[in-house]
Amino acid sequence: DPGFKTYIIFSLSQKTMPPPKQIQAQLSTLQDTEEFDVLVVGGGATGSGCALDAVTRNLKTALVERNDFSSGTSSRSTKLIHGGVRYLQKAIMKLDYEQYMMVKEALHERSNLLDIAPHLSAPLPIMLPVYKWWQLPYYWAGIKMYDLVAGGQCLKSSYVLSKNKALELFPMLKKDKLVGAIVYYDGQHNDARMNLAIALTAARHGAAIANYTEVVHLLKKTDAGTGKEKVCGARCRDVITGNEFDVRAKCVINATGPFTDSLRKMDDGKNTNICQPSAGVHIVIPGYYSPDNMGLLDPATSDGRVIFFLPWEKMTIAGTTDTPTDITAHPIPREEDINFILNEVRNYLSPDVEVRRGDVLAAWSGIRPLVTDPNSKDTQSICRNHIVNVSDSGLVTIAGGKWTTYRSMAEETLDAAVAAHRLGGGPSKTVGLVLEGGQDWSPTLYIRLVQDYGLENEVAQHLAATYGGKAFDVAKMARVTGKRWPIVGNRLVSEFPYIESEVRYAVKEYACTAIDVIARRTRLGFLNVQAADEALPRIVDIMGKMLDWSDKKRTEELEAAKKFLYLEMGYRSRSEQLTGTTEITLDTQEVANSVLIDRYTNRFHKFDKDSKGFITTVDVQRVLQNISVQIDENALHEILNEVDLNKNGQVELNEFLQLMSAVKKGQVSDSRLAILMKTAEESLDLRGPVTVDRSGGGV
């Protein structure tokens, strides 16, 4: 059968392709190649997609990114692969054909992305709760239209739920006035890993790609025919070493997302801005806030924005905001945005579920590179569509768009580049092109990892869902644990399935810094800033040995990663729940009676036997020994460090009272020290003195 033969040939070509070159070899290729056909600037989803589209057209391709692949907006999304329910509503209400076609294109791309990276993506049911009877047919008609536009690429048909069935599937939903719900399907993915898979696939096909390589200025030459200056490459700088070199190319593509206008002004300082940045903040809260496999959509929040509430990596993501912002490489989530999201979440959850500020485990802000509409008054009305522009000097710019449509945007960009620069190479070949890790993936792959390598079931599932067929390469690098089970795979932190060999493998995936590992090769920094902070010393130690870092370099990496967690992943907002006030603020009645302050002070003094005014790990260890509980000394240091505000190695009484105040108000949750001391106190109280009767009358 000819079709079968074609499949076999394609599969073999995928399997026998050489591995991507290591970073030094890639940099050498960039410097030594006389001229590329295409140089892509920007390593986000769109830039990586352009590089893959170009190299698979047999064009000699280079890609440079001044930070890490997916370090910007592409790693900070809602993690949805969607067509845009809201845009379809606008298309219908305003008879906007452009919005309709954008939704149709996005639904096609959604289907393709689920096919080419099955290990990183999957369909996700999303519930739209309905609290007014008239809304039920209105929303049902809109969602059915969404299915209809998807046509044969509809993931699963939407359906209506009764109130009881909706509460059965989403038990934490608010019951009052609920009349029913509608469930529809969109896709979900691991965005940073997806971006990396696109870049690695481009490298495997022969593209020269390099992160931490920034464009200093554009190179130009005078066209002999027209006498005009034409862009012919870029002066680049290796961010890590500081070395500068030229990369020459027939065509330069600007795919720098929010920084689009910066590169356009390198080309021509008179260019006006075409992008209007918008900040989208997301928060991560514990997994118990949502069912394992059901998201929630609030189509009309208190200020008209849409809020998603989605399970992801066994946690829950809530977001997003949509506010104008300044362009920065290091966006920081604002406390008011975090509280806005929490308030909207409270509106949809049962009063039985206390939504606490302290449950926010991580928060981040991403900058959307929206295309400016001069007639719009706010960023919500800006079309999420994209534009492709070719300047007089030949610089090709792709601006706007969204994650889901990265491939079609790249195709359109390369079509324009090929036409403008007469590059040849034929049509795009990226529809159906399986991404790195997808070729050998199957839903049962994790079982082989458990059986062949002795990995924990949870770790094996995580590796299969992160690396696909490349999970075996990660497993081979795993060290023996010395335990009966698991045989291999030491975890970085106990509550997450990330293992040490992933750090070693990350270096092969072009990770250059500790931030690359906690933010993009693994997603630990996005899931739990405290856990990521605890894992950092081990990550730096492993990377330091592999990359031959000096002690000074290791310290710098540790401090830079801690700063990243503190500012960009919401650790500052989390810690400020304790340090924001020096007063102990309990309820008025409780302060008047001094009930809780006395209780907490007495609890503190059960540990501070010597009345020093502070407790250390020695004090806690002594009490734990009395109740026959053993905790590793390093773990105890970490537990006390969470509360040690002035970082002097001890917890003072006022620090402990501040902690208990914050715990009571819900500003801090799951404090290990608070729970440990409360449990120890209860155990001591339960033991009490042994009576004479119990001891046999003293005989």
Side-chain angles (χ1 to χ4, degrees):
D1 177 37
F4 180 72
K5 289 178 183 175
T6 302
Y7 173 77
I8 291 293
I9 291 168
F10 177 77
S11 295
L12 287 174
S13 68
Q14 291 275 321
K15 289 174 182 288
T16 56
M17 254 192 287
K21 296 177 183 177
Q22 290 303 293
I23 186 64
Q24 289 306 319
Q26 295 282 29
L27 287 168
S28 296
T29 302
L30 284 173
Q31 296 176 54
D32 298 341
T33 301
E34 184 177 345
E35 185 180 49
F36 289 95
D37 292 317
V38 174
L39 167 61
V40 181
V41 183
T46 306
S48 298
C50 286
L52 180 58
D53 191 287
V55 76
T56 51
R57 296 189 193 213
N58 295 317
L59 298 174
K60 193 179 291 186
T61 305
L63 170 99
V64 294
E65 160 61 46
R66 73 174 178 181
N67 203 296
D68 186 28
F69 304 114
S70 193
S71 58
T73 307
S74 296
S75 63
R76 303 171 190 239
S77 73
T78 312
K79 322 303 178 197
L80 284 179
I81 311 170
H82 64 104
V85 174
R86 180 170 57 156
Y87 309 140
L88 181 61
Q89 179 191 27
K90 287 185 178 181
I92 295 170
M93 298 297 290
K94 298 180 181 179
L95 299 177
D96 189 330
Y97 183 72
E98 183 187 1
Q99 293 255 14
Y100 168 77
M101 289 306 296
M102 188 183 76
V103 174
K104 191 170 181 64
E105 175 191 50
L107 289 171
H108 167 73
E109 294 301 320
R110 178 188 72 177
S111 175
N112 182 67
L113 196 48
L114 289 167
D115 288 341
I116 64 176
H119 58 305
L120 291 169
S121 59
L124 176 72
I126 300 175
M127 181 183 291
L128 199 162
V130 180
Y131 288 90
K132 296 176 181 176
W133 280 108
W134 69 265
Q135 290 178 332
L136 203 58
Y138 174 75
Y139 286 146
W140 179 85
I143 294 298
K144 278 300 173 186
M145 179 65 73
Y146 193 58
D147 290 351
L148 188 63
V149 174
Q153 295 170 329
C154 179
L155 301 180
K156 290 185 181 179
S157 184
S158 57
Y159 54 91
V160 178
L161 292 173
S162 66
K163 175 180 178 178
N164 290 338
K165 191 63 179 176
L167 292 171
E168 182 183 326
L169 292 174
F170 212 122
M172 55 285 294
L173 203 58
K174 183 186 288 184
K175 303 173 186 177
D176 295 347
K177 299 181 181 178
L178 182 70
V179 298
I182 299 167
V183 175
Y184 73 98
Y185 286 80
D186 257 328
Q188 188 179 49
H189 69 154
N190 186 336
D191 53 3
R193 292 293 319 180
M194 185 73 81
N195 192 156
L196 187 62
I198 299 166
L200 289 171
T201 307
R204 194 173 285 275
H205 278 82
I209 68 171
N211 52 354
Y212 294 98
T213 305
E214 68 175 344
V215 171
V216 179
H217 60 81
L218 296 174
L219 303 177
K220 292 188 177 182
K221 65 180 180 181
T222 304
D223 185 276
T226 63
K228 293 182 178 179
E229 280 198 327
K230 294 290 183 181
V231 173
C232 62
R235 179 74 172 175
C236 296
R237 185 174 76 91
D238 184 332
V239 174
I240 294 175
T241 66
N243 294 333
E244 292 191 6
F245 54 91
D246 290 340
V247 178
R248 299 198 173 272
K250 296 173 185 174
C251 170
V252 176
I253 294 176
N254 174 12
T256 53
F259 302 94
T260 294
D261 291 315
S262 298
L263 202 66
R264 291 179 70 247
K265 287 179 179 178
M266 278 189 193
D267 177 31
D268 183 352
K270 297 177 182 177
N271 280 332
T272 57
N273 291 345
I274 62 170
C275 279
Q276 182 173 325
S278 166
V281 172
H282 296 80
I283 64 172
V284 171
I285 48 183
Y288 55 70
Y289 273 98
S290 64
D292 290 340
N293 193 37
M294 177 73 75
L296 184 140
L297 165 67
D298 179 355
T301 61
S302 57
D303 67 354
R305 293 181 282 194
V306 172
I307 287 286
F308 284 98
F309 192 61
L310 310 166
W312 185 67
E313 300 286 326
K314 299 187 177 179
M315 296 294 180
T316 301
I317 290 179
T320 175
T321 60
D322 192 359
T323 51
T325 185
D326 295 326
I327 296 174
T328 172
H330 307 286
I332 298 171
R334 301 184 308 168
E335 185 64 25
E336 50 263 48
D337 288 327
I338 293 171
N339 285 321
F340 165 77
I341 295 170
L342 286 173
N343 286 332
E344 295 304 326
V345 168
R346 289 188 186 101
N347 290 338
Y348 270 81
L349 295 188
S350 166
D352 297 338
V353 181
E354 184 183 357
V355 181
R356 304 176 297 183
R357 174 61 183 81
D359 284 335
V360 178
L361 305 174
W364 68 86
S365 175
I367 300 178
R368 302 183 190 91
L370 305 182
V371 181
T372 302
D373 177 356
N375 298 319
S376 69
K377 295 180 180 179
D378 52 57
T379 60
Q380 290 100 304
S381 63
I382 294 176
C383 179
R384 261 61 173 181
N385 216 332
H386 60 271
I387 63 167
V388 177
N389 173 262
V390 182
S391 72
D392 291 340
S393 64
L395 177 68
V396 180
T397 295
I398 169 67
K402 58 181 181 177
W403 227 121
T404 308
T405 57
Y406 85 92
R407 192 214 61 81
S408 60
M409 290 162 61
E411 179 180 347
E412 186 179 333
T413 304
L414 263 296
D415 286 344
V418 166
H421 295 275
R422 303 182 185 87
L423 299 177
S428 175
K429 301 181 179 72
T430 52
V431 172
L433 179 67
V434 179
L435 298 181
E436 179 89 350
Q439 297 92 344
D440 302 313
W441 179 85
S442 73
T444 57
L445 182 145
Y446 76 94
I447 297 174
R448 286 175 54 202
L449 289 169
V450 174
Q451 294 175 337
D452 294 353
Y453 294 94
L455 288 161
E456 289 177 85
N457 191 59
E458 184 186 11
V459 170
Q461 288 179 323
H462 152 67
L463 293 182
T466 303
Y467 305 93
K470 301 298 177 185
F472 294 100
D473 294 339
V474 184
K476 288 173 187 174
M477 299 174 76
R479 303 280 172 85
V480 175
T481 64
K483 303 175 185 176
R484 183 183 64 80
W485 190 263
I487 298 171
V488 300
N490 292 304
R491 295 194 183 207
L492 289 168
V493 282
S494 59
E495 66 267 40
F496 288 91
Y498 301 112
I499 58 176
E500 292 179 355
S501 64
E502 291 184 77
V503 182
R504 301 182 186 97
Y505 192 75
V507 175
K508 298 182 68 173
E509 293 184 321
Y510 306 125
C512 299
T513 70
I515 297 173
D516 297 343
V517 174
I518 60 173
R520 294 169 287 272
R521 303 311 182 280
T522 73
R523 307 312 307 275
L524 191 53
F526 279 77
L527 293 169
N528 190 314
V529 288
Q530 209 164 297
D533 187 52
E534 289 175 15
L536 272 175
R538 183 64 186 134
I539 291 170
V540 170
D541 182 52
I542 294 170
M543 294 188 76
K545 290 176 182 175
M546 293 191 70
L547 298 173
D548 197 25
W549 287 345
S550 64
D551 289 343
K552 180 183 177 184
K553 173 66 174 173
R554 293 182 189 216
T555 301
E556 289 172 352
E557 282 294 322
L558 194 61
E559 289 176 353
K562 285 179 176 289
K563 182 179 179 182
F564 168 79
L565 292 173
Y566 185 72
L567 294 176
E568 296 182 53
M569 290 293 112
Y571 210 164
R572 179 174 68 175
S573 294
R574 184 174 170 83
S575 63
E576 282 178 353
Q577 299 307 305
L578 264 178
T579 60
T581 175
T582 55
E583 295 182 14
I584 301 159
T585 52
L586 299 171
D587 293 344
T588 306
Q589 185 177 355
E590 290 161 351
V591 172
N593 296 333
S594 299
V595 174
L596 282 185
I597 290 181
D598 288 345
R599 182 194 304 170
Y600 297 148
T601 302
N602 289 336
R603 182 177 300 170
F604 182 86
H605 286 308
K606 286 185 179 181
F607 286 77
D608 180 22
K609 288 287 188 183
D610 303 324
S611 300
K612 305 183 296 297
F614 62 85
I615 58 174
T616 65
T617 54
V618 175
D619 298 312
V620 179
Q621 197 78 273
R622 181 176 56 200
V623 174
L624 295 180
Q625 286 173 354
N626 288 337
I627 59 174
S628 302
V629 173
Q630 290 186 341
I631 293 182
D632 178 70
E633 187 175 349
N634 290 331
L636 266 183
H637 275 295
E638 291 174 357
I639 291 171
L640 261 69
N641 191 52
E642 294 173 11
V643 187
D644 181 12
L645 304 180
N646 54 17
K647 303 303 177 190
N648 61 356
Q650 54 200 36
V651 175
E652 282 89 7
L653 175 60
N654 69 317
E655 289 177 325
F656 180 68
L657 290 175
Q658 279 182 249
L659 168 69
M660 297 311 298
S661 171
V663 167
K664 186 175 190 316
K665 291 189 295 181
Q667 293 173 325
V668 169
S669 65
D670 302 327
S671 166
R672 292 184 289 180
L673 182 64
I675 293 171
L676 180 67
M677 292 178 71
K678 181 176 184 291
T679 305
E681 180 187 47
E682 290 171 349
S683 298
L684 288 170
D685 292 344
L686 281 173
R687 290 175 62 182
V690 179
T691 65
V692 174
D693 291 339
R694 287 284 304 278
S695 65
V699 178

